[in-house]
């Protein structure tokens, strides 16, 4: 879409000269031009032609043959005079032409990496300034108290996290059991219900586990987020393989077409790389008689094969395949994924180092610029009885948290979608690194939800929205998807603050009316205004939620 807009803009504004790095002259060419200019100035600005020479020069190594027509010689002589007159200027001139700025949407420049470097330099300045202030106040560059949160019962966190991840491996023998069963335990009968019951009990256990052991909030948030991730992974693995098991059973039953079901194959949501259309065209070419049984067999066989054609169900029902999927930076299970050629150790090292760096920065921002503001505001609220005074304190707290939360939000984005997922993609040679799109240009919350977190968006669309469409209208399916997402966000906020207030849930559900307002005829098409509204609501919403959860 961006390329289309750029091409359209370039077509409309062809009279504009845009910067072209490839046309920049080398230093040798510049020196030659200056030398020619000085020579032309000494000779009076004209290049004299020798009558004895059989070839005339254009001044740019473009020789004119002696037998050239008079018109060609006249053009060459005119070009020489014009170039010589330009070089002979005493005062240096500036070349002006119709050109656009780098930030102009019509510009061909798209590299703003320098601002990314400036962002990190700004954070480094913040760390240095904070360290100097702490040395002045306490004698140490860093406060000791926040770092102790990461070490309290760390061994319990490590063992519990390992047990949680290992327990997800139970879905592999369960899927083998569902596939081999032809009775009540088959996926199409009660297998799905059995897995949903197991999944619910598993999730309830690990969500309550940190509270039973009385961990710090950092450990609780880590295990809760990890549990939610592996819940989605386990759900996708079980439901996709359950679907494939039912598909295999249908394909096998077609060996006896008289007793088999002949209704059309309902395809599970597939990846964009799925060769469904080519395979359909091929089946039509091979079967001109359009045999419905043969067509159904082909559709079911294609469904059991990976998009790249190298893995067929049930070859994937192995612990190695499941372990590989657990490490892959995706929440949607597929029989096969695109892979890179090799593992790059240095790339993994820098991304892993960046993870620790971002966590370090987020801890400093939280301890120096967020926690003190909330602590002071909570203390002031205890001694202020009036409602207006309390509202003023909360408003002041929100304003003081705007900038720290904006920086924290950007760091959370970087650490998750650029560094953590990038590191796991490097470990598994996972080639699809499209974990986010240009969400910073979002004009409404619906667009942001699609582009900010593509792995979660794919999961919700595949396993919530698409799975519920056969049973309810499209609007209800979308509402259900928002409800599930809002409940997960509310759970995370409850683990951080140990309060279930519903502020996050309400804020998430308000996105629907806000999207309807932004897409109304009054605001539709006003991208800049809608983007400003998006960013204002994003920055204000983060601080508002934090203040409400902690202070109210």
């Amino acid at each position: 879409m961006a390329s289309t807009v750029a091409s359209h803009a370039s077509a409309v504004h062809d009279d504009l000269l845009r910067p072209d790095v490839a046309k920049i002259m080398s230093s040798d060419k510049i020196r030659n031009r200056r030398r020619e200019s000085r020579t032309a100035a000494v000779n009076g600005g004209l290049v004299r032609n020798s009558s004895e020479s059989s070839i005339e020069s254009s001044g740019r190594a473009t020789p004119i043959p002696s037998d050239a027509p008079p018109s060609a010689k006249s053009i060459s002589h005119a070009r020489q005079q014009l170039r010589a007159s330009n070089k002979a200027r005493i005062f240096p001139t500036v070349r002006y032409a119709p050109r656009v700025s780098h930030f102009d949407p019509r510009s061909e420049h798209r590299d703003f990496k320098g601002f990314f470097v400036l962002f990190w330099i700004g954070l480094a300045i913040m760390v240095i300034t904070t360290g100097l202030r702490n040395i002045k106040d306490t004698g140490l560059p860093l406060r000791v108290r926040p770092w102790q949160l990461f070490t309290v019962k760390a061994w319990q966190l490590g063992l519990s996290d390992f047990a949680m991840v290992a327990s997800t491996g139970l879905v592999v023998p369960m899927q083998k059991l569902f596939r081999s069963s032809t009775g009540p335990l088959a996926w199409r009968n009660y297998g799905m219900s059995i897995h949903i019951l197991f999944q619910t009990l598993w999730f309830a256990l690990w969500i309550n586990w940190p509270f039973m052991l009385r961990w710090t909030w950092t450990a609780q948030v880590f295990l809760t987020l990890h549990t939610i991730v592996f819940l989605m992974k386990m759900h996708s693995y079980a439901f996709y393989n359950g679907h494939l098991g039912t598909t295999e059973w249908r394909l096998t039953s077609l060996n006896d077409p008289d007793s088999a079901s002949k209704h059309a194959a309902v395809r599970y949501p597939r990846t964009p790389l799925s060769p469904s259309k080519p395979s359909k065209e091929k089946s039509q070419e091979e079967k001109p008689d359009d045999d419905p049984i043969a067509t159904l067999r082909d559709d079911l066989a294609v469904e059991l094969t990976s998009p790249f054609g190298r893995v067929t169900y049930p070859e994937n029902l192995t612990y190695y395949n499941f372990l590989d999927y657990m490490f892959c930076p995706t929440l949607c299970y597929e029989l096969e994924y695109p892979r890179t050629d090799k593992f790059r150790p240095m790339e993994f090292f820098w991304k892993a180092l960046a993870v620790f760096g971002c966590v370090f920065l987020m801890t400093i921002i939280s301890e120096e610029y967020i926690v003190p503001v909330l602590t002071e505001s909570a203390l002031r609220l205890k001694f202020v009885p009036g409602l207006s005074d309390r509202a003023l304190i909360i408003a002041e707290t929100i304003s003081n948290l705007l900038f720290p939360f904006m920086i924290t939000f950007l760091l959370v984005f970087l650490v998750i979608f650029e560094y953590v997922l990038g590191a796991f993609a490097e470990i598994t040679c996972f080639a699809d690194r499209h974990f986010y799109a240009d969400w910073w240009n979002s004009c409404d919350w619906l667009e942001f939800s699609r582009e900010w977190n593509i792995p979660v968006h794919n999961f919700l669309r595949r396993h919530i929205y698409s799975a519920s469409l056969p049973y309810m209208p499209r609007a209800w399916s979308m509402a259900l998807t928002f409800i599930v997402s809002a409940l997960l966000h509310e759970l995370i906020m409850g683990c951080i603050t140990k309060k279930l207030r519903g502020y996050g849930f309400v804020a998430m559900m308000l996105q629907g009316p806000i999207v309807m307002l932004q897409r109304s005829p009054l605001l539709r098409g006003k991208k800049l205004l809608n983007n400003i509204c998006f960013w204002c609501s994003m920055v204000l919403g983060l601080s508002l939620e934090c203040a409400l959860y902690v202070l109210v």
Side-chain angles (χ1 to χ4, degrees):
M1 178 178 178
S3 61
T4 304
V5 175
S7 62
H8 175 70
S10 62
V12 176
H13 304 277
D14 287 336
D15 57 327
L16 297 177
L17 300 179
R18 298 174 178 81
D20 192 351
V21 182
K23 294 182 179 179
I24 297 178
M25 294 184 299
S26 64
S27 58
D28 295 336
K29 290 184 179 180
I30 294 175
R31 284 194 295 269
N32 292 336
R33 294 285 178 84
R34 290 176 178 173
R35 192 179 299 113
E36 291 176 2
S37 178
R38 289 193 297 269
T39 304
V42 172
N43 294 335
L46 296 174
V47 180
R48 298 185 175 88
N49 299 326
S50 175
S51 60
E52 300 177 356
S53 176
S54 61
I55 298 178
E56 293 184 357
S57 174
S58 66
R60 288 182 182 268
T62 308
I64 301 297
S66 58
D67 57 347
S71 59
K73 294 182 179 181
S74 299
I75 293 175
S76 175
H77 183 67
R79 294 176 61 184
Q80 291 175 4
Q81 286 182 324
L82 290 173
R83 285 195 299 270
S85 63
N86 287 332
K87 296 174 185 175
R89 294 178 183 271
I90 298 176
F91 198 83
T93 60
V94 178
R95 179 176 177 266
Y96 291 99
R99 286 174 285 198
V100 297
S101 66
H102 278 47
F103 286 116
D104 195 289
R106 298 166 292 174
S107 175
E108 295 179 356
H109 283 268
R110 297 291 184 269
D111 187 6
F112 298 102
K113 188 176 181 179
F115 285 100
F116 186 72
V117 175
L118 178 62
F119 172 76
W120 288 109
I121 291 177
L123 291 179
I125 294 173
M126 181 203 69
V127 172
I128 294 173
T129 305
T130 302
L132 293 175
R133 185 174 67 249
N134 288 336
I135 291 176
K136 177 183 176 182
D137 296 340
T138 64
L140 297 174
L142 297 175
R143 300 180 187 268
V144 180
R145 186 173 62 86
W147 305 104
Q148 294 176 346
L149 297 175
F150 297 100
T151 57
V152 175
K153 300 181 179 180
W155 63 274
Q156 288 187 3
L157 174 62
L159 292 177
S160 299
D161 189 65
F162 176 80
M164 182 271 295
V165 174
S167 62
T168 60
L170 294 174
V171 298
V172 178
M174 290 175 64
Q175 285 301 315
K176 291 182 177 181
L177 176 63
F178 298 152
R179 174 181 174 267
S180 60
S181 177
T182 57
L185 293 180
W187 181 265
R188 59 190 177 274
N189 295 327
Y190 294 102
M192 182 187 300
S193 302
I194 294 173
H195 174 78
I196 292 176
L197 178 60
F198 164 75
Q199 187 174 280
T200 304
L201 296 176
W202 179 90
F203 186 64
L205 169 65
W206 292 111
I207 284 296
N208 287 284
W209 189 259
F211 294 94
M212 292 188 295
L213 297 182
R214 300 182 181 277
W215 289 350
T216 60
W217 72 268
T218 53
Q220 289 179 345
V221 171
F222 174 81
L223 189 65
T224 300
L225 289 175
H226 219 197
T227 301
I228 293 174
V229 168
F230 278 86
L231 172 70
M232 291 189 284
K233 276 180 168 286
M234 184 170 58
H235 180 90
S236 182
Y237 180 87
F239 273 76
Y240 192 22
N241 280 290
H243 162 76
L244 294 178
T246 303
T247 303
E248 183 195 29
W249 169 78
R250 287 199 59 196
L251 180 61
T252 306
S253 65
L254 286 177
N255 294 332
D256 185 10
D258 296 334
S259 60
S261 173
K262 300 178 182 62
H263 65 268
V266 179
R267 294 186 181 276
Y268 204 69
R270 301 174 67 87
T271 62
L273 298 175
S274 172
S276 57
K277 183 176 290 186
S279 62
K280 185 176 180 181
E281 294 174 356
K282 183 178 178 181
S283 63
Q284 291 177 353
E285 293 176 0
E286 293 178 353
K287 301 170 188 57
D289 55 348
D290 222 9
D291 183 7
I293 300 298
T295 302
L296 181 58
R297 283 197 185 100
D298 286 347
D299 290 340
L300 295 175
V302 168
E303 192 72 6
L304 293 173
T305 306
S306 68
F308 302 98
R310 292 190 289 262
V311 179
T312 301
Y313 180 88
E315 297 173 0
N316 62 303
L317 291 181
T318 62
Y319 283 104
Y320 176 80
N321 178 271
F322 180 77
L323 183 63
D324 175 74
Y325 166 61
M326 288 293 107
F327 277 92
C328 284
T330 179
L331 300 175
C332 292
Y333 178 76
E334 286 289 343
L335 294 173
E336 193 176 3
Y337 299 105
R339 306 284 181 164
T340 57
D341 296 333
K342 60 180 180 179
F343 168 71
R344 298 173 296 178
M346 291 305 300
E347 186 72 15
F348 171 76
F349 170 76
W350 289 117
K351 288 187 180 298
L353 183 64
V355 170
F356 291 100
C358 288
V359 173
F360 171 77
L361 290 172
M362 286 189 292
T363 305
I364 289 182
I365 293 173
S366 174
E367 186 62 25
E368 298 290 339
Y369 302 98
I370 295 178
V371 174
V373 173
L374 294 173
T375 304
E376 180 184 357
S377 299
L379 185 62
R380 291 169 59 189
L381 286 174
K382 292 181 179 180
F383 302 99
V384 177
L387 183 61
S388 59
D389 293 336
R390 295 173 67 88
L392 183 61
I393 292 175
I394 294 177
E396 183 183 357
T397 304
I398 294 172
S399 64
N400 291 333
L401 294 176
L402 291 177
F403 190 75
F405 262 102
M406 183 182 68
I407 299 298
T408 304
F409 169 74
L410 295 177
L411 287 174
V412 168
F413 161 72
L414 283 174
V415 73
I416 295 177
F417 301 107
E418 184 65 26
Y419 300 132
V420 172
L421 296 184
F424 278 98
E426 201 62 48
I427 292 175
T428 57
C429 295
F430 193 82
D432 190 356
R433 312 287 173 93
H434 187 59
F435 305 124
Y436 57 90
D438 56 338
W439 57 266
W440 43 87
N441 295 325
S442 299
C443 294
D444 57 57
W445 285 99
L446 194 60
E447 184 179 355
F448 170 76
S449 64
R450 291 195 303 264
E451 298 178 347
W452 141 263
N453 190 341
I454 290 182
V456 171
H457 167 70
N458 290 338
F459 176 87
L460 294 176
R461 182 180 180 182
R462 184 189 203 187
H463 295 286
I464 306 297
Y465 178 76
S466 298
S468 61
L469 276 177
Y471 308 101
M472 59 183 65
R474 186 181 299 271
W476 290 16
S477 297
M478 185 174 295
L480 177 62
T481 305
F482 268 96
I483 289 174
V484 172
S485 178
L487 288 175
L488 293 178
H489 281 81
E490 179 65 26
L491 177 62
I492 295 172
M493 292 301 300
C495 292
I496 295 176
T497 61
K498 295 183 175 61
K499 297 178 181 179
L500 292 176
R501 295 290 188 267
Y503 303 131
F505 180 83
V506 173
M508 286 285 294
M509 297 308 297
L510 284 176
Q511 293 180 9
I514 294 175
V515 170
M516 295 176 62
L517 177 62
Q518 290 182 310
R519 295 189 176 185
S520 63
L522 182 63
L523 299 177
R524 186 186 300 124
K526 299 180 180 179
K527 295 185 177 180
L528 179 59
L529 177 61
N530 285 327
N531 184 248
I532 292 174
C533 293
F534 159 75
W535 271 112
C536 290
S537 59
M538 169 65 75
V539 176
L540 179 62
L542 292 172
S543 302
L544 177 62
E545 284 190 30
C546 178
L548 290 178
Y549 271 104
V550 175
L551 302 179
V552 181

